[in-house]
C-alpha cells in the first residue's frame, strides 16, 4: 500500500489503501519507513507525502486489533515513534499534501513533515474519546504548542474535528487551499525547492528542530544560526548563490 516514485530529484511517497482511508498497521508503517530509507539512499533533494482516495490517513488500522491483547505501547513506542523520528530527520526538505481525514497516526505523519499544505475542508482532531483512547503520535505536543491548553483539551474531550482552514488559521500547518489544488501546489513547491540550496535548507531544518525541541532563547538560537551560516559559507552552493546574485542570473545549486 506504500508506493515510492523518484523523478528529477523529488521523491513521492503515496499511502495507497483508499478502501480503508489509508489507515496504517505495523506492516504498512514498516513499508513507509523503507520508502523513506530508499528515498534517502537515492539522495533526493525533496520529498512529497500524500494519500490516495477520500482522505490522507485515518490513523491506525484497528480492523484486526483485539483490545484485550492489544499492545498499544508496542505499536506506538516501538513502531510509530521511530518512524516519525526517521521522517522528521529526513535529509532533505519534506512536504505533505493532505486532504480529508488526518487523524491519529495520520496527524503524526503531518507533525513529522516540514511543510504541510492542506485542503480547506480536511478534518483534523482527536476522535479518540469515542474509543476510550487518547490522542497520540505527537498530537498533544502539536495542539498544546499551537492552540494552548484550553483549546487542546476542548478538542480532546469533545472529539470535535476542525477544518484544514481553521487548522492553518490556528498555526497548525503551512497553508490551506481548495482540495483540488493541494497536490499540484505541493508538487510544484517541492520541485522548486529541489533546485535550490538544499544544504542551506537542511541547516535551517536542523535549527528549527533544535529551537523547537530545546526552547532556545533568542540569542542562543541566533548563535546557532551564526555557526550554521559559518559552515555553509564554505559550500559550493553558497559561493554559487552569491556569484549568481552578483551576475544577475538564476543560480544552479547542486545541493
Amino acid at each position: 500500500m506504500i508506493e515510492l516514485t523518484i523523478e528529477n530529484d523529488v521523491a513521492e511517497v503515496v499511502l495507497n489503501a483508499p478502501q480503508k482511508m489509508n489507515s496504517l498497521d505495523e506492516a504498512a508503517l514498516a513499508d513507509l519507513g523503507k520508502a523513506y530509507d530508499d528515498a534517502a539512499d537515492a539522495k533526493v533533494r525533496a520529498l512529497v507525502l500524500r494519500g490516495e482516495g477520500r482522505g490522507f490517513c485515518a490513523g491506525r488500522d484497528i480492523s484486526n486489533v483485539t483490545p484485550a491483547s492489544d499492545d498499544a505501547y508496542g505499536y506506538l513506542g516501538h513502531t510509530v515513534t521511530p518512524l516519525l523520528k526517521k521522517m522528521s530527520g529526513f535529509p532533505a526538505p519534506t512536504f505533505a499534501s493532505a486532504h480529508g481525514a488526518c487523524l491519529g497516526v495520520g496527524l503524526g505523519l503531518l507533525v513529522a513533515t516540514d511543510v504541510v499544505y492542506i485542503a480547506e475542508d480536511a478534518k483534523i482532531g482527536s476522535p479518540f474519546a469515542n474509543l476510550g483512547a487518547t490522542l497520540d503520535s505527537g498530537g498533544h505536543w502539536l495542539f498544546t504548542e499551537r492552540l494552548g491548553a484550553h483549546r487542546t483539551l476542548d478538542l480532546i474531550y469533545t472529539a470535535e474535528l476542525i477544518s484544514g482552514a481553521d487548522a492553518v488559521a490556528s498555526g497548525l500547518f503551512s497553508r490551506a487551499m481548495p482540495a483540488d489544488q493541494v497536490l499540484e501546489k505541493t508538487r510544484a513547491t517541492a520541485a522548486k525547492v529541489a533546485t535550490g540550496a538544499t544544504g542551506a535548507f537542511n541547516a535551517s531544518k536542523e535549527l528549527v528542530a533544535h529551537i523547537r525541541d530545546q526552547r532556545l532563547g533568542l540569542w542562543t538560537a541566533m548563535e546557532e544560526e551564526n555557526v550554521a551560516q559559518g559552515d555553509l559559507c564554505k559550500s559550493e552552493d553558497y559561493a554559487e548563490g552569491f556569484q549568481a546574485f552578483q551576475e544577475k542570473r538564476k543560480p544552479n545549486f547542486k545541493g
Side-chain angles (χ1 to χ4, degrees):
M1 67 165 287
I2 307 299
E3 299 176 353
L4 169 66
T5 59
I6 298 175
E7 185 176 354
N8 297 326
D9 292 323
V10 178
E12 185 163 311
V13 179
V14 184
L15 312 179
N16 192 8
Q19 71 280 5
K20 57 180 182 179
M21 295 287 285
N22 300 319
S23 56
L24 300 164
D25 58 14
E26 286 86 345
L29 290 168
D31 289 344
L32 183 55
K34 184 178 185 305
Y36 272 69
D37 286 338
D38 290 346
D41 290 343
K43 294 181 170 55
V44 299
R45 297 175 67 183
L47 180 147
V48 170
L49 175 66
R50 68 177 181 89
E52 277 288 344
R54 295 183 295 113
F56 172 70
C57 177
R60 182 185 184 186
D61 183 359
I62 61 172
S63 59
N64 295 314
V65 172
T66 302
S69 60
D70 182 33
D71 180 8
Y73 180 84
Y75 171 79
L76 292 170
H78 299 153
T79 303
V80 174
T81 298
L83 171 64
L84 297 183
K85 286 182 177 179
K86 176 183 294 187
M87 293 173 60
S88 182
F90 188 77
T94 60
F95 301 82
S97 171
H99 68 289
C102 307
L103 307 171
V105 178
L107 177 62
L109 300 183
L110 301 183
V111 174
T113 302
D114 298 341
V115 175
V116 176
Y117 294 158
I118 193 164
E120 293 170 338
D121 60 355
K123 299 299 181 185
I124 302 102
S126 175
F128 298 100
N130 300 318
L131 294 173
T134 191
L135 186 59
D136 56 42
S137 304
H140 281 90
W141 176 87
L142 178 69
F143 284 3
T144 304
E145 174 80 6
R146 310 291 168 77
L147 304 178
H150 293 93
R151 183 67 173 136
T152 295
L153 293 174
D154 181 10
L155 291 173
I156 290 172
Y157 293 167
T158 64
E160 292 177 0
L161 303 180
I162 61 175
S163 69
D166 287 342
V168 169
S170 300
L172 290 174
F173 301 123
S174 309
R175 304 188 200 187
M177 59 200 75
D180 61 357
Q181 298 177 17
V182 180
L183 181 56
E184 180 181 0
K185 173 64 176 177
T186 307
R187 284 172 168 166
T189 303
K192 179 179 179 181
V193 168
T195 67
T198 47
F201 295 155
N202 284 337
S204 290
K205 178 172 178 171
E206 292 176 6
L207 282 164
V208 168
H210 190 55
I211 292 167
R212 177 196 66 200
D213 294 342
Q214 302 298 324
R215 282 289 184 278
L216 299 185
L218 171 61
W219 306 116
T220 302
M222 196 174 294
E223 176 58 21
E224 294 209 358
E225 290 171 346
N226 298 343
V227 172
Q229 197 77 295
D231 291 337
L232 287 169
C233 76
K234 304 178 182 69
S235 71
E236 292 182 10
D237 276 353
Y238 191 96
E240 167 64 8
F242 273 65
Q243 186 173 347
F245 177 84
Q246 293 162 352
E247 295 174 356
K248 296 181 171 54
R249 60 175 174 81
K250 183 178 179 180
N252 181 24
F253 292 121
K254 303 298 184 182

